[in-house]
Amino acid sequence: MENLLLAIDPDVVNWSRAQFALTAIYHWLFVPLTLGLAVIMGIMETCYYRTGKEFWKKTAQFWQKLFGINFAMGVATGIILEFQFGTNWSNYSWFVGDIFGAPLAIEGILAFFMESTFVAVMFFGWKKVSKGFHLASTWLTGLGATISAWWILVANAWMQYPIGCEFNPDTMRNEMTSFVDVALSPMAVNKFFHTVTSSWVLGATFCVGVCCWYLLKKRHVEFAKKSLKVGAVVGLFASLLAAFTGDESAYQVAQHQPMKLAAMEALYEGGKDQSLTGIALVNPFEQPDYMNEKEPSMRIAVPNALSFLATRDLHGFVPGVKDIINGYTKDDGTVEPPLTEKIERGKAAIAALKAYRGGEKTAENENTLKENMKYFGYGYIKNAEQTVPFIPINFWTFRIMVGLGCLFILVFAVILFFLYKKDIAQPRWLQQIGLSLIPLGYIASVSGWLVAEFGRQPWTIQDMLPTWAAVSDVASNGVALTFFLFLFLFTAMLAVEISIMCKQIKKGPTL
């Protein structure tokens, strides 16, 4: 990071981004199911502990097998993900490693070891420890995985809302000033609860889908009905929680990442009394002409709902893409400067830092750096287009996530109605819908991840470091080669997992 005005090959940036996205997407296929199945199997074993019935023990063991297969794959992809910070994103690691590394270290030392310890008891301790100790180990395995998620999401949230840190020009590093601010920022708290509850939804869709498959095949009917009750109750409860936490997450995005919200809504021109777009004709393959269009065509919207979501006021001001580029005034009177001013102030900060590092450690350079550090990252921005994320991806993935979330609430409620008032073993149409929840759950989960990560582009760290200043200065050929190696490896691992999962499901529980 000594070279402040990096001239890195754009191919390196693109391949590094592609490789990280590839690894993260594959990792994200495993993690939510781990968190979701942890709750499902915990409830199953609690039923066994309370009733003493062998049926619940066998049921818990069946879901624990599926949990174990998925857990192992998630660990393998997660380790590779963390190594990439050092290999492909060394400038980023140098610039903010003192802050970003802390939650990752805690995750590795505390949560990961906690998972490793109790997962061993859970799988191998059925005949070696008491029922109570084994039940505690099962819940603690899930708790450990959830704590792991907490620290990972703290690190991710800090990238989207950097807080609790101060830049030290002598070390060229951002240093943590408040661990509490980093660990308990509103962005981190809301991101954690929304991610975890949405993971419970995925676990529930998986459980419901597997049970519906057994009902369609008329196999293990009693097991399927009782597991379905647990899955549907968890799914309905988690879906409602995910809707609530999603609203809170969107509010945090509005406060700290207004460009992401504008992209999610395809909001080109902001203002007061803004409507929330339900659907609109946004070309999924082309960035819209946001500087000349007023709004997307065929827009159907809920009046004032976006203002309320973003400001908790039906008449609140919500900035659009053009407002953010040209500058605007918030409801509290705070003036957000135009992009041109932010770029100039960013360049001033970089120039002052370069002079300081060159030996001119004057008060003037220190003050210039301090006054403009808030816009440091904008010094690397060349034009307005670089600050606008690809709107179609954000717009459509956000609607896919929300739409599927609403569908899950409806399906879980209907399944529970049939479980308690009708006979769930009869309606094949409902069983087929239940089976379809498995791929739909993954689509919703990945869509949410895409909204979070694509929406913050071009920033690796919001307003502080764009992606092209964060990568390692390495040969693009090497990054491209490893991209395809990881693509082959992860695809093979996914195929192996699906194969093993399918074999276990076809084999069924040993009741």
Side-chain angles (χ1 to χ4, degrees):
M1 200 63 194
E2 286 293 319
N3 183 3
L4 294 169
L5 298 174
L6 298 166
I8 291 178
D9 181 359
D11 285 345
V12 176
V13 180
N14 294 332
W15 280 114
S16 296
R17 288 183 62 192
Q19 188 182 105
F20 196 86
L22 171 80
T23 314
I25 284 179
Y26 271 96
H27 183 57
W28 191 243
L29 291 176
F30 304 115
V31 173
L33 185 59
T34 296
L35 298 178
L37 282 184
V39 176
I40 301 285
M41 67 186 191
I43 293 174
M44 304 290 190
E45 190 171 339
T46 302
C47 291
Y48 166 62
Y49 179 80
R50 295 189 64 182
T51 65
K53 293 181 178 177
E54 195 70 8
F55 169 85
W56 284 115
K57 179 181 178 182
K58 299 296 183 185
T59 300
Q61 288 176 331
F62 172 76
W63 293 109
Q64 284 173 1
K65 281 181 186 173
L66 300 182
F67 171 90
I69 298 164
N70 191 72
F71 180 82
M73 296 296 180
V75 171
T77 51
I79 290 173
I80 293 172
L81 197 62
E82 294 197 15
F83 276 118
Q84 287 182 5
F85 288 118
T87 55
N88 295 1
W89 301 92
S90 59
N91 282 331
Y92 162 85
S93 298
W94 176 269
F95 200 52
V96 297
D98 289 358
I99 305 160
F100 190 81
L104 292 186
I106 296 172
E107 188 262 345
I109 294 170
L110 176 64
F112 190 70
F113 280 114
M114 183 176 170
E115 290 174 71
S116 304
T117 301
F118 291 107
V119 80
V121 177
M122 186 180 77
F123 283 115
F124 305 111
W126 278 104
K127 296 180 181 178
K128 296 183 175 68
V129 298
S130 68
K131 285 169 61 178
F133 188 80
H134 193 277
L135 176 64
S137 298
T138 299
W139 280 110
L140 286 171
T141 298
L143 181 63
T146 306
I147 294 175
S148 286
W150 168 270
W151 292 112
I152 294 295
L153 292 168
V154 163
N156 182 279
W158 183 84
M159 294 164 69
Q160 317 224 20
Y161 176 44
I163 189 174
C165 63
E166 186 175 355
F167 182 70
N168 184 342
D170 291 315
T171 60
M172 284 285 291
R173 299 164 75 94
N174 280 279
E175 297 171 353
M176 189 183 296
T177 57
S178 171
F179 179 76
V180 174
D181 285 350
V182 173
L184 299 176
S185 78
M187 183 73 81
V189 172
N190 283 285
K191 183 177 279 289
F192 168 76
F193 282 111
H194 186 54
T195 304
V196 169
T197 53
S198 63
S199 297
W200 293 350
V201 175
L202 180 65
T205 60
F206 182 82
C207 176
V208 167
V210 171
C211 293
C212 285
W213 185 79
Y214 284 131
L215 291 177
L216 283 167
K217 296 292 182 183
K218 301 189 184 306
R219 292 175 53 197
H220 308 295
V221 174
E222 190 61 24
F223 161 84
K225 284 183 177 178
K226 291 191 175 179
S227 293
L228 202 51
K229 278 186 184 177
V230 175
V233 168
V234 170
L236 182 59
F237 177 70
S239 297
L240 294 172
L241 277 179
F244 174 75
T245 55
D247 174 71
E248 290 295 318
S249 289
Y251 176 74
Q252 291 301 322
V253 168
Q255 303 306 305
H256 307 298
Q257 296 176 299
M259 184 63 88
K260 180 192 283 189
L261 183 69
M264 288 160 58
E265 280 297 300
L267 181 67
Y268 310 147
E269 285 187 4
K272 292 181 176 292
D273 305 307
Q274 284 297 308
S275 304
L276 182 69
T277 302
I279 196 73
L281 192 60
V282 175
N283 187 336
F285 306 107
E286 186 176 280
Q287 184 78 317
D289 186 7
Y290 47 80
M291 293 304 287
N292 296 309
E293 293 180 17
K294 187 174 181 181
E295 65 177 33
S297 59
M298 301 180 69
R299 178 172 179 254
I300 300 173
V302 181
N304 294 72
L306 181 59
S307 283
F308 183 77
L309 181 146
T311 66
R312 299 302 188 235
D313 180 348
L314 287 170
H315 308 291
F317 178 86
V318 183
V321 175
K322 276 188 274 189
D323 302 297
I324 297 167
I325 291 173
N326 297 326
Y328 60 96
T329 303
K330 298 179 182 177
D331 285 332
D332 62 3
T334 306
V335 176
E336 192 68 20
L339 179 62
T340 51
E341 181 180 332
K342 291 180 181 178
I343 291 174
E344 289 306 314
R345 294 184 65 174
K347 288 180 177 177
I350 292 174
L353 179 58
K354 190 174 183 181
Y356 186 91
R357 296 292 298 174
E360 300 177 36
K361 297 187 176 184
T362 63
E364 182 182 358
N365 282 329
E366 282 191 67
N367 290 334
T368 301
L369 179 60
K370 196 170 184 178
E371 289 170 1
N372 298 293
M373 193 62 204
K374 181 180 178 182
Y375 303 108
F376 184 85
Y378 286 93
Y380 295 98
I381 301 291
K382 294 178 180 175
N383 52 58
E385 288 77 16
Q386 289 184 326
T387 65
V388 183
F390 192 58
I391 291 173
I393 284 184
N394 290 275
F395 180 83
W396 287 114
T397 51
F398 178 65
R399 271 144 197 83
I400 290 170
M401 175 187 68
V402 174
L404 287 176
C406 295
L407 176 67
F408 295 155
I409 292 174
L410 176 64
V411 174
F412 288 136
V414 171
I415 286 175
L416 285 173
F417 173 77
F418 271 83
L419 278 166
Y420 286 98
K421 298 294 183 182
K422 303 282 184 181
D423 183 7
I424 192 69
Q426 295 302 321
R428 291 181 64 81
W429 62 269
L430 185 55
Q431 295 162 12
Q432 289 166 345
I433 290 175
L435 179 59
S436 72
L437 290 189
I438 296 178
L440 293 179
Y442 279 100
I443 291 172
S445 179
V446 171
S447 294
W449 181 81
L450 290 175
V451 171
E453 299 307 311
F454 269 97
R456 69 181 163 98
Q457 295 303 318
W459 303 109
T460 311
I461 308 166
Q462 185 71 33
D463 296 343
M464 190 184 288
L465 196 67
T467 51
W468 54 87
V471 297
S472 303
D473 190 8
V474 295
S476 61
N477 291 342
V479 185
L481 175 63
T482 50
F483 169 87
F484 288 108
L485 286 174
F486 286 139
L487 177 62
F488 173 78
L489 176 65
F490 293 152
T491 304
M493 289 174 67
L494 181 63
V496 168
E497 162 164 322
I498 292 173
S499 173
I500 297 173
M501 282 270 204
C502 288
K503 284 180 182 176
Q504 286 297 324
I505 292 169
K506 285 179 181 177
K507 186 179 177 183
T510 52
L511 298 173

